[in-house]
Amino acid sequence: MAKRSVKQRYAVIGAGWAGCAAAMELARAGHAVSVFEAARTLGGRARRVERENTVLDNGQHILLGAYTETLRLIKLAGQDPAELILTLPLQMRYPANSGGMDFIAPRLPAPLHLAWALLRAKGLVRADKLALMRFSTAMRTMGWQLYNDCTVSELLQRFDQTDRLNQLMWHPLCLAALNTPPERASARVFLNVLRDSLGASRRRASDMLIPKADLSTLLPDAAARYVARHGGAVRTGAKVDALQALPDGRWQLDDGEHYDGVIVATSSVQAASLLQGLQDARLADAINRMQAFTPEAISTCYLQYDASLRLDLPFYALVDTPELQHWGQFVFDRGQLDAGQAGLLAVVISASGNAAEQGHGPLAHAIAAQLAQVLQRPELAQPAWTQLITEKRATFACTPELARPGNASGMPGLLLAGDYTANEDRTQDYPATIEAAVRSGVAAVRMMNSGKAAKQP
């Protein structure tokens, strides 16, 4: 007879996507889970906010069909992804006559869908298409792996990608996936994302998934209900200021309770602060790696128009040209995702440090003017209201050979979970995305259960 696991008590600090994933996996295994979240809203850096009496997200997101762990947990929490997410085939579609291209993959088996999309793509000349085909073929031959990391720009130059292809395809994808400019972004991590989407054997892996519900509803709120149904608790407005390692190997938190293990699933900045408070030399390596991260910002500008306004597509890619005050990189028609948000557009700016320096008013005005020009709709220059939301520490700069801590902290029973952690198999490292956070939370529980929690990062 198989030996049943002993029910233990665990604490999860932070109810972002990593913390929610860890809490669900612990609850699913039959353990008692207590989740501590300092904020009142679940979701961490991918959560809902309320502005102008409207429920928005702190950043417009696109998920991928390759986000298998995220989709698995959404279903485990009792949610139906089909009701909460708009699924579109892989595409990079720019407004007509805006200097972009029109690339959309049909629903054919992989990799035929990409070949057909490339053949039918508009706005690319023969040299661009040959360069894209050459790059894709070479990466498949290499197994989408680099043994010596370099920047994305260096990789693209090595494989003779054209300036136009870089501007319209590779650079926007790099910014969207890694939130780091190509001249500083890790080519190895970029290829990991491309491998699991463009290079996957399943066509669905390359699908683009746009949340119709707000981000907190998509998983974090449902995760809290799942934990509660399994006897656990999620406490909001409950900041943990200190940890204490007990002589018997257990842990004590601010609530005075004792736990068999703790998963710290906060941001890297907050995690480093908590670990420093323990004053244990075994944590030095993890702390040093977290403190070495350079933050990157993401800005989302929401623009409300008359409810009758509707774009021809749910979203468009935009050519960002800062010297022309064209900062927007993607625009989403929220009304096509949620009927209650008719007339609301969301414009995303990744790696938005320079753009955010313009200030809310000037940047929102510039984005409205950009939309009016590239979409050839003058009325877009005059929104009823705008809201600019900038997450200054949305991600870390995902640079080549970046030393990231693993899930193991260095102390028994204390694990780290977050989109900043490294996978045990470095060829699986992802940038700071929702999927990376979820995978990290799942990996932390797996490591806790396997008894590897004290292994150095």
Side-chain angles (χ1 to χ4, degrees):
M1 180 180 293
K3 183 178 179 180
R4 298 189 63 177
S5 60
V6 178
K7 183 173 182 177
Q8 294 183 299
R9 298 189 69 200
Y10 290 105
V12 177
I13 305 174
W17 289 68
C20 286
M24 285 183 66
E25 289 294 278
L26 288 169
R28 186 168 71 97
H31 299 302
V33 185
S34 294
V35 182
F36 299 85
E37 170 54 50
R40 295 293 179 182
T41 304
L42 307 182
R45 284 167 288 128
R47 69 189 185 281
R48 69 167 165 266
V49 296
E50 186 171 330
R51 300 284 191 277
E52 299 286 346
N53 297 316
T54 304
V55 174
L56 307 172
D57 285 319
N58 69 321
Q60 175 66 54
H61 281 62
I62 295 182
L63 284 66
L64 295 174
Y67 286 9
T68 53
E69 284 296 270
T70 301
L71 293 171
R72 177 181 69 84
L73 288 185
I74 289 174
K75 294 176 183 176
L76 179 64
Q79 306 270 73
D80 182 359
E83 293 182 357
L84 302 173
I85 297 172
L86 175 65
T87 300
L88 298 172
L90 173 70
Q91 55 192 272
M92 286 293 285
R93 310 188 73 179
Y94 291 78
N97 304 314
S98 67
M101 67 175 184
D102 193 22
F103 178 100
I104 179 169
R107 297 193 180 281
L108 295 174
L112 291 178
H113 68 312
L114 294 180
W116 185 256
L118 182 59
L119 179 65
R120 298 294 298 272
K122 299 176 182 178
L124 297 179
V125 300
R126 184 171 182 272
D128 303 323
K129 294 181 180 183
L130 289 176
L132 179 53
M133 188 179 301
R134 182 169 58 249
F135 181 85
S136 179
T137 301
M139 292 305 105
R140 288 180 185 276
T141 302
M142 296 166 54
W144 301 91
Q145 292 186 25
L146 284 181
Y147 293 103
N148 297 308
D149 203 359
C150 62
T151 67
V152 169
S153 291
E154 290 169 338
L155 177 71
L156 298 174
Q157 183 178 16
R158 186 183 307 171
F159 287 92
D160 300 318
Q161 299 300 282
T162 65
D163 290 342
R164 184 164 178 77
L165 194 59
N166 287 338
Q167 180 190 34
L168 300 180
M169 174 72 86
W170 297 129
H171 288 192
L173 287 179
C174 177
L175 282 170
L178 276 66
N179 195 39
T180 307
E183 60 271 18
R184 294 192 287 112
S186 165
R188 177 181 291 154
V189 176
F190 185 53
L191 287 182
N192 288 346
V193 177
L194 294 183
R195 175 200 63 214
D196 291 350
S197 53
L198 298 183
S201 59
R202 298 184 308 112
R203 179 201 53 78
R204 291 182 180 274
S206 66
D207 282 346
M208 306 179 91
L209 313 181
I210 309 177
K212 294 189 287 186
D214 68 77
L215 292 172
S216 295
T217 295
L218 191 58
L219 177 66
D221 289 349
R225 294 193 295 270
Y226 180 91
V227 170
R229 287 197 304 270
H230 288 75
V234 177
R235 308 176 192 177
T236 58
K239 184 180 180 182
V240 176
D241 292 313
L243 296 171
Q244 182 180 352
L246 302 175
D248 62 1
R250 291 187 295 169
W251 293 84
Q252 181 173 306
L253 272 61
D254 295 359
D255 64 347
E257 297 291 330
H258 295 178
Y259 299 91
D260 296 292
V262 176
I263 295 178
V264 178
T266 63
S267 71
S268 59
V269 173
Q270 295 166 318
S273 178
L274 274 175
L275 267 57
Q276 280 182 311
L278 288 166
Q279 299 183 345
D280 192 298
R282 291 172 291 180
L283 302 172
D285 187 65
I287 293 171
N288 290 337
R289 294 187 184 202
M290 288 188 281
Q291 291 179 331
F293 289 144
T294 300
E296 290 281 3
I298 297 178
S299 296
T300 301
C301 185
Y302 291 95
L303 307 97
Q304 181 67 61
Y305 300 93
D306 186 84
S308 63
L309 184 135
R310 182 181 176 92
L311 302 185
D312 292 335
L313 298 175
F315 82 98
Y316 283 103
L318 303 172
V319 178
D320 62 323
T321 314
E323 56 269 26
L324 298 178
Q325 294 294 297
H326 286 192
W327 300 99
Q329 296 154 359
F330 292 92
V331 57
F332 296 80
D333 185 348
R334 291 295 312 172
Q336 297 191 42
L337 303 169
D338 179 355
Q341 295 188 334
L344 181 66
L345 302 184
V347 176
V348 177
I349 311 170
S350 296
S352 64
N354 292 335
E357 290 178 358
Q358 310 302 307
H360 181 165
L363 181 55
H365 178 77
I367 289 173
Q370 177 187 3
L371 294 178
Q373 179 181 338
V374 301
L375 290 166
Q376 300 176 46
R377 299 180 65 165
E379 71 272 19
L380 295 181
Q382 300 294 329
W385 57 258
T386 63
Q387 280 291 324
L388 180 69
I389 300 176
T390 297
E391 279 285 325
K392 294 183 179 180
R393 292 181 172 272
T395 71
F396 56 87
C398 193
T399 53
E401 302 291 0
L402 181 66
R404 297 157 65 170
N407 291 109
S409 68
M411 292 185 69
L414 181 63
L415 276 295
L416 304 175
D419 57 15
Y420 61 88
T421 60
N423 195 285
E424 284 189 283
D425 177 1
R426 293 305 302 270
T427 65
Q428 303 298 317
D429 277 351
Y430 255 38
T433 59
I434 281 176
E435 177 71 0
V438 169
R439 289 187 184 186
S440 180
V442 173
V445 174
R446 186 182 304 121
M447 184 172 288
M448 184 80 79
N449 289 337
S450 68
K452 298 180 181 179
K455 184 180 177 182
Q456 289 288 345

